[in-house]
Structure formats: C-alpha cells, structure tokens
Amino acid sequence: MADAQEFLKDFPLLNHKINGRKVAYLDNGATTQKPEQMIQSICGYYGGCNANPHRGAYALSIKATDIYEGARGRTAQFIKAKRPQEIIFTKNATEALNLVAYSYGLHNVNAGDEIVISISEHHSNCVPWQMVAKAKGATLKYIYLEEDGNLSQEDIETKITERTKIVAVTQVSNVLGLKNDVKAVVQKAHSVGAICVVDGSQSVAHMAVDVSDLDCDFFAFSGHKMLSPMGIGVLYGKYELLDAMEPFLRGGDMIEYVEEQDSTWAEVPAKFEAGTQNVGGAAGLVAAIDYLEKISFERIEAIEADLLNYALPQLRELPFIELYGCDTTRDNKTGIIAFNVKDVHPHDVASILDADGVAVRAGHHCAQPLHRYLGQNATCRASFYLYNTREDIDRWIESLKKVRGVLGYGA
C-alpha cells in the first residue's frame, strides 16, 4: 500500500537486513518500531540539554524541566485531558495500573465490595486487582465474552452492581484485537457509583482517544507501543481523584516538607513522580505523538483495515489455520489476528516463520485467563501497524503454508 511504503523510510530497523533479509515485523502488539524523528529527539535531548529536571537553578536544568513539563501538556492535549496535571508519567502501563490499584484501590475497596474486570484483560489489568481483592476481602468478578469474542452485554448489565467499586477494562484486546465499547462500560460503572479504569495500551497508537468524552476515571498506556522509547508510560486520572489519593512511591521530588518523623506531599502530579524522571523518554513521547498526528489516525486505521481485509480471506482458505476473535460481525476489529496451526505448538510456528524473516508473537501474550477461557494453552499473534505492507502479509502467508510440511505433517 502506497501509504505504508511512504512511512517505511522513517524506520531504520525495518530497512536493515536480519539473517540476510528484511524483517516482516508483525509483532506490534508487543512493541512498535521507532521512527528516525523519535530517535533524533532523544539524541537531541541527551546531546544538547541533559540535566536533572525540577532541581537546578541553572539553564540546563530549567530547559530539562521545560521539556518534561511540555511533554505533560502535549500528552494531555493528545488524549484530550482537561488539564496537564491529570497526566502522571510512569515507566509503563503496568506501573500506571499498579499505581491506581495501590493508591486508589487499597484505600477505597472494603470487605464485601466487588471489583469487575473482563476476561480479556492483559495481566497488567488483572493481577493488581487480584491483589486488591485479596487484601481487602473483596470479590473479583469477570465479564465473559459472546461467541464472537466481544464482551457479554448481559454480564455488563448483571455483574456491575451496587456492590461494585471498581470496573477495569481494556479498550482493545491484545489477543483478539476487538475494540470494547468502554464508553458504555464507563456509564454503567458510574450508574452504580463505581469508578472505571481503562487500559489503553492497545488502542492509543491505533485510534483517536478522548478521555474526556469517554468520561473514564483513569486511563493507562505505554509509550513503547506507540513509537516512543521503552521506559515511559502514562496514567491519566481525573484531578479530584488524584488529589485525594495517597502517593504510590515515596522519596525525592514528590514531597512538600519532610520532618524527622513525617512528611507532606507535593501537589498533583509531582506527588506521584518520586525520584529522577525519564526526561529523554518524555521527549521521545512528544516526537511520537507529533509523528502520529501528522499522519492522522484516519490514515493509520485505513492502513490497518486494508491489511486485515487482505489477510483474513487468505487465512480462511487454509484448512489448518484456527482463528480467534475473527468472526465478529461488528465493525470493531483492529489489526490483530490470533491464530494457531493445527497440531503445531505456537512456539514452533513462530520459530519457522522467523527463519523466513517473519516476526510474530507466540505464547499466552500475558493473558492466561483469556486463553484458558478459549480452551487454548497458547496462540500465535500477528499485529499490524502503519509501516506494514501487503508484501509483509504475503511473506507471512507463504511461510505459514510451509509450517506443517517442515514438521512432517504434510500439507
């Protein structure tokens, strides 16, 4: 597709050869490749203005502070938060979700209360709520799926009750690639007085996100899944909630006063950002946001839809391929395809594809409850992004056709 070829030149790794050939990188659900513009922004920071922010009264420190706080404002604008103070920088979405669990969950959930999550959650939006439920004597309930992989509407209506204090749901499943109607889930949570936490790790790089319109209470995502470096993540939270919460980490730069036996906290967002922060990562995040918005999410979604519609009919013609979450009739499927090759372990599939220069994920994708629900120990996952081409799909399909033969099963 012409658009993807246009963007390929910006991604240096995709233009290098690995094992003698260019890689068809189809593991964007795990992490995305990085554009030259983002790489240069990090080099520019470390080469031209590296200093510890918020601490020095000299020019370099002031500049580092401006870059860091500028990134906060740009991120707030990107996801349409009402104010920059509602953006907390973390090292990834996992830390962001743990922050909510420790600083909100442990202080607002009590014995007999209920926490509701979906069976599709990544471990990052499941394990922290298990911790809160066990620590507080609460019940953890699951929203299961319809036959097509979408969230059960009946479960949403019946399992979110007056006893529910927290609802946590992903905006896009990292295994099935299906978009959840999180705005409706938020409304249901609010109707019973619960707050709603949204994991945006698989959505924010692929579709426009408006946290004010969603009216979610918290929204978490990782920078490395949206062209940024690893080590920078974001927690959005409504200001009044953040202001009332206890800090998650304690130490330098998050305090107001420290006495020998007690301390008081800085205002939001500094209260939640103890220690030296990842200014280079924040600079990279801004460059990634600029890059994505210059392209526009309309074009990104069109590229991914083209690849999905090109790949699925070919996969359905292969009798040895099993697909998951691909039979939905709703227009809510993103560029993620979970699949298995009959009688072949996913790790063997991924290794054989790798020999042909095709990179896919194999395993449980940090979603073991979902795999058990689907009756699978593991799956393979191909996930597309703006720089993927139909040639990548062709190489993936051709390599898949060889897998069973390589292992002696015949065609």
Side-chain angles (χ1 to χ4, degrees):
M1 191 174 185
D3 280 347
Q5 293 291 348
E6 173 189 339
F7 306 134
L8 260 176
K9 62 179 174 42
D10 293 333
F11 293 82
L13 186 145
L14 297 175
N15 291 296
H16 290 169
K17 290 186 177 179
I18 300 174
N19 297 326
R21 61 188 306 173
K22 287 185 178 179
V23 63
Y25 186 78
L26 302 177
D27 194 20
N28 297 286
T31 195
T32 59
Q33 296 304 326
K34 316 305 178 190
E36 184 67 29
Q37 293 88 333
M38 193 286 291
I39 295 170
Q40 288 305 316
S41 75
I42 297 176
C43 294
Y45 167 72
Y46 283 109
C49 47
N50 176 55
N52 210 319
H54 299 143
R55 287 167 169 79
Y58 54 91
L60 279 177
S61 180
I62 293 170
K63 192 169 184 179
T65 301
D66 289 344
I67 291 171
Y68 188 69
E69 293 304 324
R72 195 187 310 280
R74 185 72 177 93
T75 305
Q77 180 189 46
F78 176 60
I79 61 171
K80 297 181 173 53
K82 292 178 179 174
R83 52 202 293 189
Q85 292 85 352
E86 293 180 321
I87 301 298
I88 311 296
F89 286 125
T90 62
K91 69 173 182 281
N92 48 43
T94 299
E95 183 178 276
L97 292 164
N98 271 271
L99 192 163
V100 181
Y102 277 90
S103 294
Y104 183 89
L106 289 179
H107 296 272
N108 290 279
V109 174
N110 296 301
D113 289 342
E114 296 177 349
I115 300 169
V116 179
I117 68 175
S118 87
I119 196 67
S120 300
E121 298 309 307
H122 186 282
H123 293 164
S124 298
N125 204 26
C126 169
V127 178
W129 305 118
Q130 292 176 343
M131 179 275 296
V132 173
K134 289 177 181 176
K136 304 301 292 190
T139 299
L140 182 61
K141 296 167 65 175
Y142 285 85
I143 297 168
Y144 295 112
L145 308 179
E146 309 280 7
E147 287 188 3
D148 62 4
N150 288 290
L151 296 184
S152 164
Q153 292 303 307
E154 180 180 354
D155 277 7
I156 292 172
E157 288 301 320
T158 60
K159 292 186 176 178
I160 300 174
T161 71
E162 297 293 333
R163 288 193 293 274
T164 304
K165 299 302 177 188
I166 296 173
V167 178
V169 64
T170 184
Q171 193 166 23
V172 174
S173 165
N174 74 314
V175 177
L176 303 178
L178 299 175
K179 299 177 189 174
N180 293 325
D181 185 357
V182 292
K183 187 171 181 177
V185 176
V186 169
Q187 290 173 345
K188 177 61 182 177
H190 288 175
S191 73
V192 297
I195 61 108
C196 190
V197 183
V198 178
D199 179 0
S201 298
Q202 295 294 339
S203 62
V204 73
H206 305 274
M207 54 192 277
V209 169
D210 184 334
V211 294
S212 295
D213 180 62
L214 291 176
D215 197 27
C216 56
D217 300 282
F218 297 99
F219 186 94
F221 62 95
S222 289
H224 73 90
K225 294 181 189 290
M226 52 166 289
L227 309 181
S228 302
M230 296 181 181
I232 186 76
V234 173
L235 173 67
Y236 156 82
K238 288 181 176 175
Y239 186 86
E240 60 273 20
L241 292 174
L242 294 172
D243 189 47
M245 287 160 52
E246 285 292 301
F248 175 43
L249 299 172
R250 302 172 188 230
D253 216 33
M254 52 74 69
I255 51 83
E256 180 185 38
Y257 298 107
V258 177
E259 306 293 343
E260 286 193 3
Q261 300 298 325
D262 207 356
S263 301
T264 56
W265 315 129
E267 294 182 352
V268 174
K271 179 170 67 172
F272 296 105
E273 296 181 352
T276 296
Q277 297 301 303
N278 183 2
V279 183
L285 181 63
V286 169
I289 290 171
D290 290 345
Y291 187 90
L292 290 170
E293 289 195 338
K294 184 177 180 181
I295 294 171
S296 86
F297 282 106
E298 288 79 6
R299 293 178 73 186
I300 293 170
E301 288 186 282
I303 291 169
E304 294 182 21
D306 176 77
L307 296 172
L308 186 70
N309 294 329
Y310 182 67
L312 279 179
Q314 297 184 69
L315 291 168
R316 289 186 176 118
E317 289 181 359
L318 303 178
F320 51 84
I321 294 292
E322 297 171 336
L323 298 170
Y324 308 97
C326 294
D327 293 330
T328 181
T329 57
R330 306 177 203 180
D331 185 24
N332 66 339
K333 175 77 174 170
T334 66
I336 293 177
I337 297 176
F339 66 97
N340 270 325
V341 176
K342 288 181 181 176
D343 304 320
V344 182
H345 193 280
H347 287 175
D348 291 331
V349 175
S351 295
I352 293 169
L353 296 184
D354 181 55
D356 287 334
V358 179
V360 300
R361 177 81 178 265
H364 49 66
H365 320 310
C366 297
Q368 287 184 329
L370 175 59
H371 277 80
R372 290 194 186 94
Y373 183 79
L374 296 172
Q376 303 297 318
N377 290 322
T379 58
C380 294
R381 181 187 69 187
S383 47
F384 313 142
Y385 206 27
L386 58 94
Y387 39 66
N388 287 126
T389 65
R390 288 189 173 193
E391 181 184 355
D392 293 335
I393 304 299
D394 291 341
R395 289 176 56 191
W396 171 38
I397 300 290
E398 287 306 307
S399 191
L400 273 178
K401 292 176 180 176
K402 300 188 327 189
V403 168
R404 286 173 58 85
V406 169
L407 294 174
Y409 287 101

